[in-house]
Amino acid sequence: MTKQDFFSRTRFIMVGTSHPGNVGSAARAIKTMGFKELVLAAPQKENMLSHPEALALASGAVDILENAQVVESLEQALAPVTLSFALTARTRDMGPPVVDIRQAAEEAHQHLLSTPYAQIAIILGPERIGLDNAQISHCHRICHIPANPEYSSLNVAQALQLAAWELRYAFMKEQEAVEGENRLLEGQASKQKHYASQDKVEALLTHWEQALIHIDFLNPAHPKKLMPRMRYWFNRSQLTQEEVDMMRGVCTQILKR
């Protein structure tokens, strides 16, 4: 694995964005830090990537806009991702584990280092309200930027720039040690973990919910917060594909009885 491999397995997801200028600024922020992959999930305006304001503020990073993806939902944007970080300034009563941006960058580095199948994502919400609890429930970590507590609100493109810098710093430091560890990992390729992508985990959750209803553990008329808690548990556990397959086999047997 090389440094460039880490950069190519990192995507930045903007959810429900409404300002073309922020999209252009985000493209510039990504490119200056060596990243390439930008995904817009359910943007509030059409043709956001080709909007004159986006093109103007991209300022030399138009290629990022040209290659960016637009999808209908956060779930679609997260489909191939194995470790995701939801950037938010608000505290939550319930949700994934909380890390600061530097811890997130270090964890992302180690995750990408552990297997060539891993892919990470940084998720940013709409400019005015940020990510809601339902969107955060699909992520593995909540991530904070430790800004001034009296005024911690960052523009979405500014937050993305800081996240991209922290990731770049984590990916590039102590490169000789990393390369030595990579050679060791390459010699043990058969032992590497194959983390389940988010779409596989979501499919397991659907199957798991059906099984819980079948054994009367979950009442679909009064589900309360059971399935969101199950989602947090599965995401926190960082399931491998083998574990997902095993759990789905259990679900299949439950549903047969």
Side-chain angles (χ1 to χ4, degrees):
M1 272 177 272
T2 65
K3 288 182 292 184
Q4 192 57 42
D5 183 59
F6 296 155
F7 288 91
S8 66
R9 290 191 284 137
T10 301
R11 65 170 43 183
F12 294 85
I13 302 171
M14 300 177 73
V15 181
T17 188
S18 60
H19 298 304
N22 280 335
V23 176
S25 296
R28 185 176 182 180
I30 288 171
K31 188 168 183 177
T32 57
M33 292 297 117
F35 299 96
K36 297 180 179 180
E37 191 166 355
L38 176 64
V39 181
L40 304 186
Q44 296 182 31
K45 296 180 181 178
E46 294 183 359
N47 304 318
M48 189 81 78
L49 297 172
S50 58
H51 192 282
E53 188 176 354
L55 296 172
L57 289 177
S59 185
V62 174
D63 57 318
I64 302 296
L65 296 180
E66 291 174 343
N67 293 304
Q69 300 179 51
V70 179
V71 297
E72 295 180 355
S73 67
L74 175 59
E75 291 89 334
Q76 287 179 276
L78 286 172
V81 173
T82 55
L83 181 62
S84 54
F85 299 90
L87 275 182
T88 178
R90 290 188 288 132
T91 56
R92 314 281 169 153
D93 294 332
M94 184 177 75
V98 180
V99 294
D100 68 32
I101 189 61
R102 186 151 296 180
Q103 292 170 321
E106 291 290 348
E107 185 174 357
H109 179 209
Q110 293 303 316
H111 184 74
L112 292 175
L113 190 62
S114 69
T115 169
Y117 303 105
Q119 183 171 347
I120 68 161
I122 301 292
I123 302 96
L124 303 99
E127 289 85 352
R128 188 173 62 85
I129 58 174
L131 295 166
D132 62 31
N133 289 337
Q135 292 163 338
I136 284 179
S137 74
H138 291 281
C139 303
H140 296 95
R141 304 285 185 270
I142 288 175
C143 182
H144 293 311
I145 294 174
N148 177 4
E150 297 179 3
Y151 187 66
S152 60
S153 178
L154 283 166
N155 171 276
V156 65
Q158 293 172 329
L160 189 149
Q161 180 76 80
L162 288 173
W165 155 246
E166 289 290 350
L167 286 170
R168 180 177 179 83
Y169 185 79
F171 292 173
M172 297 189 70
K173 72 176 186 177
E174 301 176 0
Q175 188 58 33
E176 289 185 5
V178 169
E179 289 173 353
E181 189 171 351
N182 283 348
R183 287 192 292 270
L184 177 62
L185 287 169
E186 287 166 3
Q188 299 175 341
S190 61
K191 298 180 181 179
Q192 290 177 337
K193 290 184 178 180
H194 189 169
Y195 292 106
S197 58
Q198 194 62 25
D199 58 340
K200 303 298 185 184
V201 176
E202 291 294 331
L204 167 60
L205 277 163
T206 299
H207 206 176
W208 184 245
E209 182 177 14
Q210 294 168 353
L212 295 180
I213 292 171
H214 187 72
I215 61 173
D216 295 326
F217 188 84
L218 171 62
N219 182 352
H222 302 284
K224 298 182 180 181
K225 294 183 178 180
L226 180 61
M227 290 314 298
R229 291 182 185 278
M230 289 287 182
R231 176 178 277 110
Y232 294 137
W233 170 35
F234 285 2
N235 283 340
R236 186 172 63 248
S237 299
Q238 279 285 271
L239 296 171
T240 64
Q241 187 59 55
E242 182 180 14
E243 290 166 341
V244 166
D245 293 341
M246 177 180 65
M247 290 292 289
R248 294 204 65 173
V250 172
C251 293
T252 297
Q253 290 302 313
I254 290 173
L255 291 169
K256 284 181 178 180
R257 295 179 183 273

